[in-house]
Amino acid sequence: GGPPPPAARRPPLGELEALNLSGRGLEELPEEVGAALSGLRVLSLRRNRLCRLPAAALRHLGRLAELDLSHNRLRGLGDGRALAGLRGLRKLSLSHNELGAESPGLPPRLAELARLEELDLSFNRLRRLPEGLGCLRHLRALDIDHNLLPCFPAPLLELAALEELDCSGNRHLGALPEGIAALHRLKILWLSGTGLAALPEGLCQLGALESLMLDGNQLRTLPAGFSGLQRLKMLNLSSNLLGEFPAAILALPGLEELYLSRNQLSVLPPRLCQLRQLRTLWLDNNRIRYLPDSIVLLHSLEELVLQGNQIAILPEGFGQLSRVTLWKIKDNPLIQPPYEVCMKGIPYIAAYQQELAHSQPALKPRLKLVLMGLKDAGKTLLRRCLMEENGQREDAGSLEAGSGQPRGCPGQQQDSGRAAGCCPIPEDASEQRDICSHVPSHQGKGERPCPAPSLPPDASQVSSGLRLSGSKGIEVMDWTADAERGLTFIVYELAGDPTYDVIQSFFLSPGALYVLVVNLSAYVPQHFYPSVGYFLHWLGSKVPHAVVCMVGTHADLCAERELEEKCLDIHHQIAQQEKRDAEGLQNLVQQVDEALGQDFDLRCSSPHTAFYGVSDKNLRRKKAQFQYLLNHRPQILSPVLPFSCWDHCQVRRLRDKLLSVAEHRDIFPNLHRVLPKSWQVLEELHFQPQAQQLWLSWWDSARLGLQAGLTEDRLQSALSYLHESGKLLYFEEHLTLREYVFHNLPRLIDILNVFCQRDATVLLQKLLSDTHIDELRATQLHHYVEGFLLHGLLPAHVIRLLLKPHIQSREDLQLILELLEKMGLCYCVNKPKSKPLNGAAAWYKFPCYVKNEVPHAEAWINGANLSGQSFVVEQLQIEYSFPFIFPPGLFARYSVQINSHVVQRSDGKYQIYAYRGKVPVVVSYRPARGALQPDTLSIASHASLPNIWTAWQAITPLVEELNVLLQEWPGLYYTVHVLCSKCLKRGSPNPHSF
């Protein structure tokens, strides 16, 4: 190498024109800096710690045109002489300081900046503006939002050149002067959250106005002359008190964005279509019952937000709004199109409406009925009694658990029932009436007591303690509850066994009627939470606003007073739990309100302040989430309904109760949904008795579609609806699975039940059913089962044996395994990223079976490398907290979802160690250690300090996967924090969280 090239010539400091010193922690700016940079035109000192103006340095910067002093700690500007000397200053930002903390605050000499065009004084707690501000004749943009101004400052009316004015967040402004008309060049005006109850006519004379923000006020009407704002393109009237759509808006032909969220609108005008330029229309959280037909003529519309209204039917031709990309419609009682179609978006609505035009509408009332409760709650017998009452019998050959006899076999059940202490039906009419008195609409006093029903012979056995065991996991069947009206319940009975947690949440969905079953004979008040409270939390987090009917079984085993006390206790404790939950959420809303009442700077002043560094926008979003959770509590229909299979009256009353709830249009509008006849026929063809295969190929399904009158291009929408409404599974986005339609849900559930089975005997029975298995092979299968129940590992060929009745070929097996992986039940341990396994045995891991508490921990978790040498690292840990409930099965499903992102993983029951590339990551679940502590799930990594970004890079995809999973739980409250790395390094048991 020769000599180094000469350094490029740097200009002298005096020629420097722009300097950015943001975020440097500066407490002062020495005079020498100003003297050396006399040619400076742009200087940014934002986000420092300046407590006073650097007057000495500024005296040398006479050519300065832009000065940014925002986000400092300035409590005053001195006498203002230093600033007044900057005669050429055109842009000055003083936002997020403390200029209102001391008197006089802003000096009058600020008005000497004659060339000033932009001035930002926001977030300063100012109670008044500097005198002479009106002299700034060239001022085009003035930002005074989030101060404490008691009224609209009169000097502003003299700023004739003003084009942008932001007064938002001055909550006590209260009114605007008529003289505001003097600001005739104004194009943008922000008046959000200023306490306005009315607008002056003078505002209507601002003919140049293009954007007007009036959200968060108390406006009930707009002034008559509002239609004079002919250049208006954007109008925000959200969060006001408008009871009627303001007619004046319809006379603004250039309007492109209109926000009317959170008002009290019930009707939209038919002439809404006059706003032909409209691109954005937000109408969420009002009381709108229907949309005008003319809305479909708003062809420019790109955003349409209608959630939280009372809309049941969308106008014909709604699919014409093909340019709409932002579409929100949830929380409406939709029946035409059905909710499931609307949630998929405008193209699906268009397909539905076109299909409805092709074939006549069909009404077929079908409602999902879900039975849930603890393992011995009596769900199976309850279901059978209800269906027997209706004359609909199940297969007479099925065996009763515990009896060993087919149903219908004679025996001495009645005697054995009494021997075990079973209470017979009381003969005294008044005694009978008291037992039934918990149920509304009971017979009158003069009526005769209900006779004992003719029950299946095993009913007394069940009541006497030999109860039916819900050992099958999850069962699903149809129940025609009212043949006259054609009302069918699709009954799902969920196992009360925690081993089924990982799959049960799939079957909790909106628009279903939930029956929470409690065994009254076994119930004690101390066990309220595991028997009742837990299920309400679980259901509420998955299905906000779920409709729940409480039923107490084995009522015949309780004395009259005991029955009454237990029913009242459950009712009382439900009310207590609901009250506690609501109060907790209200406290959170109050905390957010208090934080919003503070300046952003105050929230950033110390890491120990509530919501440290969280923006106003994110706080408002958080508050909206809390309000949503408060407004969507479970709908618990009545006190506990006592139930005994001995009491014909109670059986019939429960059946009638379920029917009356199901047919209540306000509770279940979706029962009356309107479907195209072709969709209904397609559904029936998929479920005809001969369709016993586990799945159909896309082409098989297309052939059924042709029988229903659906061409291939119209089949997709119908299948999508059947998937969304829980009739079948069709994954249109999945590369492999989209070629198949899983129409046989009962058989699919049988497969899922196999993988939630914890009984080694049952598993071995399935594996050893082949008579040709020798002793060596049997021993090997025994080891596989042991490994499965301990570590969750199974090779593919053993999985095939377990599923033998359901699958026939290797292709069948591969498809089922893809489906199980998609549902989050298992992942392939040794699948190469690109090429097939070449004959090697594929092993699958089922995380819900892992029993070892801690995986084989790598040394890095303790901050030491493999040679035992300690090295300096920063720990990065994101922690999710779940104060009410941790979604059952979430950790196991999450474990599967992250598999494609990690390598060299090692799983424990509650922890996963792995690598992202060469960067270590650990995922940990920690159950709550006490009633007041939350469950937590954390995602952690570490790196040496300069390379901490590698740790962020490692965990970000894992955080994103968890966020996607949590979207399945819209009623779940949780928080997300970053834990303080210094606290973690010190080993603090309670690290600070950001």
Side-chain angles (χ1 to χ4, degrees):
R9 178 183 169 273
R10 291 180 181 171
L13 286 178
E15 292 179 21
L16 202 64
E17 292 199 347
L19 178 62
N20 183 357
L21 292 172
S22 302
R24 301 281 174 170
L26 301 176
E27 294 181 4
E28 58 180 22
L29 188 68
E31 183 176 359
E32 295 79 9
V33 175
L37 301 170
S38 55
L40 214 56
R41 296 186 61 77
V42 178
L43 175 60
S44 176
L45 292 164
R46 69 195 309 266
R47 295 200 181 277
N48 280 294
R49 299 174 190 165
L50 301 174
C51 293
R52 60 178 184 275
L53 202 65
L58 291 179
R59 286 195 196 101
H60 298 279
L61 301 177
R63 297 179 62 191
L64 212 56
E66 295 183 21
L67 176 59
D68 189 347
L69 288 160
S70 62
H71 295 273
N72 276 285
R73 301 172 183 177
L74 301 175
R75 296 175 72 83
L77 300 177
D79 59 5
R81 193 180 305 165
L83 275 182
L86 304 175
R87 300 288 183 187
L89 204 61
R90 287 191 165 84
K91 186 175 178 181
L92 174 61
S93 178
L94 292 163
S95 74
H96 294 85
N97 278 288
E98 301 164 28
L99 297 175
E102 293 178 2
S103 190
L106 293 174
R109 296 198 66 170
L110 199 64
E112 294 177 26
L113 297 171
R115 294 190 184 179
L116 204 61
E117 294 176 9
E118 297 179 36
L119 176 60
D120 188 351
L121 298 170
S122 59
F123 291 92
N124 268 296
R125 305 181 72 80
L126 295 170
R127 287 179 167 77
R128 60 188 181 87
L129 297 182
E131 295 171 24
L133 192 69
C135 301
L136 299 175
R137 302 297 181 198
H138 295 284
L139 200 64
R140 289 186 299 102
L142 175 61
D143 197 341
I144 51 172
D145 69 286
H146 292 86
N147 281 294
L148 302 173
L149 301 173
C151 60
F152 190 88
L156 299 192
L157 302 178
E158 300 170 35
L159 299 172
L162 210 56
E163 294 177 6
E164 296 180 30
L165 174 60
D166 189 350
C167 297
S168 300
N170 286 284
R171 299 175 188 186
H172 308 298
L173 218 58
L176 298 177
E178 281 290 348
I180 198 168
L183 302 177
H184 57 89
R185 290 193 186 176
L186 213 54
K187 292 180 181 177
I188 301 174
L189 178 56
W190 292 75
L191 293 163
S192 310
T194 49
L196 300 177
L199 299 175
E201 284 291 342
L203 181 76
C204 307
Q205 296 170 37
L206 298 175
L209 208 57
E210 295 177 3
S211 293
L212 178 57
M213 269 59 73
L214 290 163
D215 51 303
N217 285 295
Q218 286 114 45
L219 300 173
R220 295 177 185 276
T221 57
L222 297 183
F226 197 82
S227 54
L229 301 174
Q230 287 293 294
R231 292 195 185 178
L232 206 59
K233 292 180 180 177
M234 198 277 267
L235 175 61
N236 190 342
L237 284 162
S238 295
S239 300
N240 276 285
L241 303 172
L242 299 169
E244 292 182 10
F245 189 97
I249 293 176
L250 300 175
L252 303 173
L255 205 59
E256 296 177 4
E257 299 177 48
L258 177 58
Y259 301 90
L260 285 161
S261 309
R262 295 177 299 282
N263 277 282
Q264 297 163 15
L265 304 176
S266 54
V267 177
L268 299 178
R271 293 187 300 128
L272 190 65
C273 59
Q274 290 176 203
L275 302 176
R276 297 191 184 281
Q277 305 296 318
L278 208 57
R279 290 187 293 106
T280 299
L281 179 58
W282 287 52
L283 294 161
D284 55 289
N285 297 291
N286 279 283
R287 302 167 184 174
I288 299 165
R289 299 189 75 85
Y290 64 90
L291 300 173
D293 293 343
S294 61
I295 198 170
V296 304
L297 302 175
L298 295 174
H299 297 304
S300 300
L301 216 52
E302 295 172 7
E303 295 184 15
L304 180 56
V305 177
L306 297 167
Q307 70 188 43
N309 280 289
Q310 293 159 28
I311 300 164
I313 297 174
L314 297 182
E316 280 184 40
F318 200 80
Q320 293 174 38
L321 299 174
S322 56
R323 295 181 66 179
V324 171
T325 51
L326 180 67
W327 161 249
K328 295 186 179 180
I329 189 68
K330 69 175 185 177
D331 300 326
N332 279 285
L334 294 155
I335 59 172
Q336 186 178 343
Y339 178 82
E340 296 86 353
V341 175
C342 293
M343 290 299 287
K344 292 287 285 181
I346 303 291
Y348 289 84
I349 293 169
Y352 165 89
Q353 292 187 327
Q354 286 161 14
E355 199 56 47
L356 212 53
H358 273 105
S359 64
Q360 72 267 38
L363 271 169
K364 188 177 182 186
R366 286 164 67 89
L367 188 68
K368 186 171 172 181
L369 179 73
V370 182
L371 303 177
M372 57 198 306
L374 283 175
K375 191 172 182 178
D376 295 320
K379 300 183 291 292
T380 304
L381 189 66
L382 171 72
R383 163 172 58 82
R384 291 188 175 180
C385 285
L386 284 170
M387 293 171 76
E388 293 276 348
E389 165 73 15
N390 204 41
Q392 184 171 338
R393 295 183 175 272
E394 297 181 33
D395 178 13
S398 64
L399 285 171
E400 292 299 336
S403 71
Q405 297 176 335
R407 295 186 50 220
C409 292
Q412 303 300 314
Q413 288 91 344
Q414 190 165 341
D415 293 342
S416 66
R418 285 182 179 169
C422 174
C423 303
I425 299 292
E427 292 172 11
D428 178 20
S430 61
E431 193 177 346
Q432 171 67 30
R433 190 163 58 245
D434 286 340
I435 288 178
C436 292
S437 66
H438 302 281
V439 186
S441 67
H442 181 54
Q443 65 198 38
K445 284 186 180 178
E447 294 181 59
R448 294 173 62 191
C450 304
S454 55
L455 287 174
D458 53 2
S460 59
Q461 249 189 14
V462 174
S463 276
S464 67
L466 296 167
R467 298 186 183 87
L468 279 169
S469 166
S471 58
K472 285 188 179 178
I474 295 165
E475 295 191 71
V476 58
M477 63 215 61
D478 279 2
W479 168 34
T480 305
D482 190 328
E484 250 179 69
R485 285 170 285 187
L487 174 56
T488 302
F489 285 112
I490 309 166
V491 185
Y492 284 78
E493 183 189 328
L494 304 189
D497 191 328
T499 56
Y500 292 86
D501 279 353
V502 74
I503 60 170
Q504 292 202 117
S505 298
F506 286 112
F507 303 99
L508 305 182
S509 58
L513 172 54
Y514 293 89
V515 177
L516 179 47
V517 184
V518 188
N519 179 344
L520 287 177
S521 73
Y523 175 78
V524 289
Q526 301 92 297
H527 292 163
F528 165 80
Y529 190 76
S531 307
V532 179
Y534 168 80
F535 288 97
L536 292 177
H537 274 161
W538 173 32
L539 181 56
S541 58
K542 188 75 166 67
V543 186
H545 227 36
V547 181
V548 187
C549 184
M550 294 293 309
V551 175
T553 55
H554 305 100
D556 55 308
L557 296 180
C558 300
E560 181 185 337
R561 185 166 178 184
E562 178 193 0
L563 186 71
E564 188 171 338
E565 284 175 354
K566 287 183 174 181
C567 288
L568 282 173
D569 179 78
I570 292 169
H571 183 58
H572 174 69
Q573 290 211 54
I574 289 174
Q576 288 288 95
Q577 176 169 298
E578 274 300 294
K579 186 182 175 192
R580 275 195 309 273
D581 291 354
E583 284 173 352
L585 288 167
Q586 277 159 350
N587 286 338
L588 291 167
V589 170
Q590 195 175 335
Q591 287 173 29
V592 173
D593 277 336
E594 286 169 5
L596 279 167
Q598 298 172 336
D599 290 345
F600 179 70
D601 257 26
L602 203 59
R603 285 205 300 280
C604 294
S605 59
S606 159
H608 299 285
T609 55
F611 304 110
Y612 170 73
V614 181
S615 69
D616 281 10
K617 183 181 177 182
N618 280 344
L619 278 177
R620 280 193 288 270
R621 192 178 291 160
K622 190 176 273 288
K623 182 180 174 180
Q625 183 208 0
F626 293 150
Q627 293 288 9
Y628 175 82
L629 295 178
L630 273 169
N631 296 337
H632 291 79
R633 307 303 306 152
Q635 302 173 77
I636 298 156
L637 295 175
S638 63
V640 184
L641 303 178
F643 179 88
S644 163
C645 281
W646 280 105
D647 191 331
H648 203 75
C649 169
Q650 288 181 352
V651 175
R652 192 182 305 131
R653 192 178 302 110
L654 177 57
R655 181 181 155 279
D656 291 346
K657 173 79 175 174
L658 295 177
L659 282 170
S660 69
V661 170
E663 293 184 326
H664 198 297
R665 277 184 177 266
D666 289 342
I667 300 175
F668 287 112
N670 60 323
L671 187 69
H672 307 277
R673 67 181 114 202
V674 178
L675 289 181
K677 184 77 175 171
S678 54
W679 288 18
Q680 187 189 310
V681 172
L682 180 73
E683 181 184 338
E684 288 165 358
L685 288 171
H686 273 83
F687 304 125
Q688 58 195 357
Q690 62 267 35
Q692 283 307 301
Q693 312 99 302
L694 187 50
W695 59 75
L696 299 173
S697 72
W698 163 264
W699 296 110
D700 293 335
S701 195
R703 278 190 281 276
L704 293 179
L706 287 171
Q707 288 180 49
L710 285 164
T711 51
E712 191 187 320
D713 58 321
R714 286 155 47 213
L715 177 66
Q716 183 101 353
S717 302
L719 287 175
S720 173
Y721 163 73
L722 292 173
H723 172 86
E724 294 294 333
S725 57
K727 307 293 188 344
L728 48 72
L729 294 181
Y730 171 58
F731 300 100
E732 57 186 306
E733 306 295 333
H734 194 282
L735 203 60
T736 313
L737 297 178
R738 68 184 176 197
E739 299 299 325
Y740 300 90
V741 176
F742 297 89
H743 65 300
N744 194 335
L745 283 189
R747 282 190 67 194
L748 185 60
I749 288 169
D750 286 346
I751 285 176
L752 296 179
N753 285 335
V754 168
F755 294 108
C756 293
Q757 177 59 255
R758 301 281 168 130
D759 189 331
T761 315
V762 175
L763 290 169
L764 281 168
Q765 204 174 338
K766 284 178 182 291
L767 293 173
L768 301 173
S769 57
D770 192 334
T771 50
H772 304 298
I773 290 180
D774 58 34
E775 193 176 334
L776 181 66
R777 180 76 173 134
T779 307
Q780 192 181 24
L781 290 174
H782 209 286
H783 285 312
Y784 281 138
V785 168
E786 280 181 356
F788 180 49
L789 294 178
L790 193 62
H791 305 295
L793 280 169
L794 272 183
H797 67 275
V798 175
I799 295 175
R800 186 172 174 180
L801 281 177
L802 282 173
L803 300 179
K804 201 171 181 181
H806 300 292
I807 58 174
Q808 307 303 323
S809 66
R810 183 186 290 272
E811 289 71 27
D812 288 357
L813 175 64
Q814 199 51 47
L815 192 60
I816 282 296
L817 289 169
E818 290 236 16
L819 181 63
L820 294 177
E821 198 160 343
K822 169 76 179 168
M823 297 179 80
L825 265 73
C826 67
Y827 63 87
C828 185
V829 175
N830 55 341
K831 181 164 64 179
K833 296 290 179 195
S834 51
K835 55 186 187 298
L837 277 162
N838 293 334
W843 282 78
Y844 285 82
K845 180 94 165 180
F846 292 77
C848 54
Y849 278 89
V850 178
K851 276 191 180 167
N852 49 315
E853 290 292 327
V854 181
H856 307 294
E858 300 292 344
W860 67 266
I861 195 65
N862 299 317
N865 62 16
L866 294 177
S867 62
Q869 300 274 312
S870 194
F871 60 99
V872 179
V873 292
E874 289 294 309
Q875 293 188 47
L876 173 62
Q877 188 166 331
I878 310 287
E879 185 174 83
Y880 287 69
S881 260
F882 302 85
F884 291 105
I885 188 171
F886 184 78
L890 177 70
F891 185 72
R893 283 186 62 206
Y894 180 54
S895 176
V896 173
Q897 295 302 114
I898 64 172
N899 189 56
S900 61
H901 297 288
V902 298
V903 292
Q904 297 177 44
R905 66 183 286 172
S906 176
D907 291 33
K909 187 177 182 182
Y910 294 142
Q911 278 188 320
I912 303 160
Y913 293 119
Y915 282 84
R916 285 259 306 136
K918 293 182 178 179
V919 183
V921 290
V922 61
V923 177
S924 309
Y925 166 57
R926 189 173 68 183
R929 291 172 184 167
L932 298 174
Q933 282 193 319
D935 295 64
T936 60
L937 194 155
S938 63
I939 306 163
S941 181
H942 67 219
S944 54
L945 194 53
N947 300 320
I948 192 68
W949 62 271
T950 60
W952 276 107
Q953 216 171 30
I955 69 168
T956 299
L958 309 188
V959 169
E960 287 169 354
E961 287 286 2
L962 183 54
N963 290 342
V964 168
L965 267 182
L966 288 171
Q967 285 173 17
E968 296 178 15
W969 299 81
L972 180 68
Y973 170 60
Y974 62 93
T975 62
V976 191
H977 288 88
V978 183
L979 300 189
C980 170
S981 62
K982 291 178 182 175
C983 294
L984 291 171
K985 200 180 282 187
R986 281 201 306 267
S988 166
N990 297 303
H992 185 74
S993 56
F994 295 90

